[in-house]
Amino acid sequence: MPRLSDSMEEGTILEWLKQVGEEVALGDELVEIETDKANMAYESDVAGTLSEILVQEGETVAIGTPIARVDAGDGGGTDERTSAGPVGAGDPPPPAVAKASSGAGPPTPPPAEGTAINAPSTPPQASSRDGRTKASPVARRIALERGVELSGLHGSGPGGRIVKADVENASSAGTEGGVPLGPADTQSGELISSPLVGTSGTPPSVPSAAAAASPSDVETAKGQVTYEDPSKLQSTVARRMAESKATAPHFYLEAEVDMSRLVAARAQIKATAREGDVVPSFNDMVVKACALALREHPRANGAYRDGRFELYSRVNVGVAVAANDALVVPTVFDADRKSLRQIATEARALAGKVRDGQITPPELSGATFTVSNLGMFGIESFAAVINPPQAAILAVGALQERPAVRDGQLVSLQVMTVTLACDHRILYGADAARFLASVKANLEAPLRLAF
């Protein structure tokens, strides 16, 4: 099992893209793996014949565990690996060897024994040797939700693989090329929280989602209880947030920022923008303001780890994005050196990848500080949990119009509340206050963000 992200400790086999007996070339997509951050199609770094699969689909194993044997074909035996060996915990993930799949769904169970699907004489899409339709996890999930039969679709992905767009096109066209799923269609393996009706046709070896979600039908004082297993990403979020609150002594600082000048500046940018130009959002401006302040306050751009202060030369700001019932934090690298327009373009591209399930572990790694914004939901202020091992996280509230007194006159101001959560092991009260004051000053003087 290769290490595909810096925080990965184990991986789950979602789908073998090659079967026993097939030839494997360097760079061929060999297996799809669910990591703690994304689903990755792993490309083989050895050539030969896949002689044995040691870890089956749906199984989870630790980093470094052999998952397959590839016969090198030179009489020298087999290569018991899919990578060049276990990657060290401190090593960066190898982006050139793995690519993100089009979705982040749960592992797909193999077909039940004796129920293998026979491929048609002229299959409309690529299928694996065991007859299973080749489709990305997100495509399987959407197909199950919208009642589209995958075996009737033409795949537009690599090797005829069905991707998200294929299912959406079939669904919007009234399932043209696809047929509604019957109650026994559980090939996606997606866990459904709502009970299924009429699942008597489900093969015995493939339990229905309702059975998996509700081990007991006993009524309690709270009504019927259903259970859902979290995805690997959700489990990682739960573990890291609990670790953060348990190990990092949080304290919080709050400030109100007069955004009136910035609101006016953004209105001018929007008015003069040409068609197709990216107009920076207020969140993009907060990212830039934080990046400039982090450059002036190295402790805020550091971490407390193993009894030492780690201070980083690069200013990489993570932007919290909500997607698929989980929290994902893609990174804008070297944000202090980038223009507002560059930050806006990158942030939009990263958010789109998160929502489409195409974000890669390298894009989720390396952040030295995080910005979390709930202002779009009308939240005035909130306190966020530090993303370990970072020193702090800035929580951004909604922009509000408030009355204020300036030079004895009653005026209307655009005010935004920001809350800084700090790890007291590295960032003390006075240092944190100075950092937050710098962020506030940058936002209240828009010209600072132009450089």
Side-chain angles (χ1 to χ4, degrees), residues 28-366:
D28 279 358
E29 290 188 353
L30 182 60
V31 59
E32 188 169 32
I33 300 172
E34 182 184 19
T35 74
D36 60 335
K37 293 183 175 178
N39 293 350
M40 307 292 293
Y42 179 75
E43 296 180 354
S44 176
D45 64 346
V46 294
T49 302
L50 183 60
S51 59
E52 185 179 1
I53 291 176
L54 302 175
V55 178
Q56 301 303 316
E57 294 176 355
E59 294 184 8
T60 301
V61 295
I63 299 300
T65 303
I67 60 175
R69 290 190 174 93
V70 176
D71 186 349
D74 56 2
T78 60
D79 193 352
E80 191 176 273
R81 62 177 183 173
T82 60
S83 69
V87 182
D91 296 341
V97 186
K99 299 186 296 183
S101 73
S102 61
T108 304
E113 184 177 357
T115 61
I117 303 171
N118 294 325
S121 57
T122 56
Q125 80 291 316
S127 298
S128 59
R129 283 180 178 265
D130 60 4
R132 293 177 59 235
T133 302
K134 294 178 69 176
S136 69
V138 73
R140 294 183 186 276
R141 174 174 59 80
I142 295 175
L144 184 64
E145 292 173 351
R146 302 188 181 183
V148 176
E149 174 57 62
L150 291 176
S151 61
L153 300 182
H154 293 267
S156 61
R161 196 170 188 230
I162 296 172
V163 296
K164 174 185 175 183
D166 300 324
V167 180
E168 290 180 337
N169 291 338
S171 176
S172 61
T175 65
E176 179 181 355
V179 297
L181 286 172
D185 288 316
T186 57
Q187 67 184 44
S188 73
E190 180 75 16
L191 182 62
I192 303 176
S193 59
S194 59
L196 293 179
V197 179
T199 56
S200 58
T202 305
S205 59
V206 184
S208 68
S214 180
S216 173
D217 294 330
V218 178
E219 289 282 341
T220 69
K222 300 178 182 179
Q224 187 173 356
V225 180
T226 59
Y227 299 87
E228 296 183 10
D229 291 328
S231 67
K232 190 170 291 294
L233 174 58
Q234 290 171 327
S235 296
T236 300
V237 171
R239 174 178 55 82
R240 287 175 61 81
M241 293 299 96
E243 170 192 333
S244 176
K245 293 295 286 187
T247 60
H250 287 52
F251 73 94
Y252 306 91
L253 300 178
E254 185 175 286
E256 288 189 350
V257 182
D258 180 2
M259 297 283 286
S260 302
R261 292 182 182 177
L262 200 60
V263 170
R266 184 176 183 274
Q268 289 181 342
I269 294 174
K270 190 173 182 179
T272 58
R274 294 169 296 186
E275 185 176 354
D277 285 351
V278 176
V279 178
S281 67
F282 291 116
N283 200 64
D284 299 326
M285 296 174 176
V286 172
V287 170
K288 177 67 173 181
C290 289
L292 295 176
L294 288 167
R295 194 166 60 189
E296 299 174 8
H297 303 273
R299 287 277 186 90
N301 194 52
Y304 181 88
R305 193 189 308 214
D306 299 329
R308 296 184 300 179
F309 296 155
E310 292 185 356
L311 306 179
Y312 308 117
S313 61
R314 298 178 69 182
V315 176
N316 304 329
V317 180
V319 181
V321 177
N324 298 326
D325 293 327
L327 182 65
V328 182
V329 186
T331 306
V332 178
F333 290 90
D334 301 312
D336 60 321
R337 301 178 183 177
K338 291 178 177 174
S339 68
L340 264 178
R341 199 174 297 278
Q342 285 178 302
I343 291 174
T345 302
E346 281 192 31
R348 280 160 180 72
L350 290 169
K353 285 186 175 182
V354 169
R355 285 188 284 268
D356 293 339
Q358 296 177 339
I359 197 75
T360 62
E363 293 170 315
L364 299 174
S365 305

Side-chain angles (χ1 to χ4, degrees), residues 388-404:
Q390 296 170 17
I393 180 172
L394 187 72
V396 181
L399 194 64
Q400 296 180 310
E401 188 174 15
R402 293 183 186 174

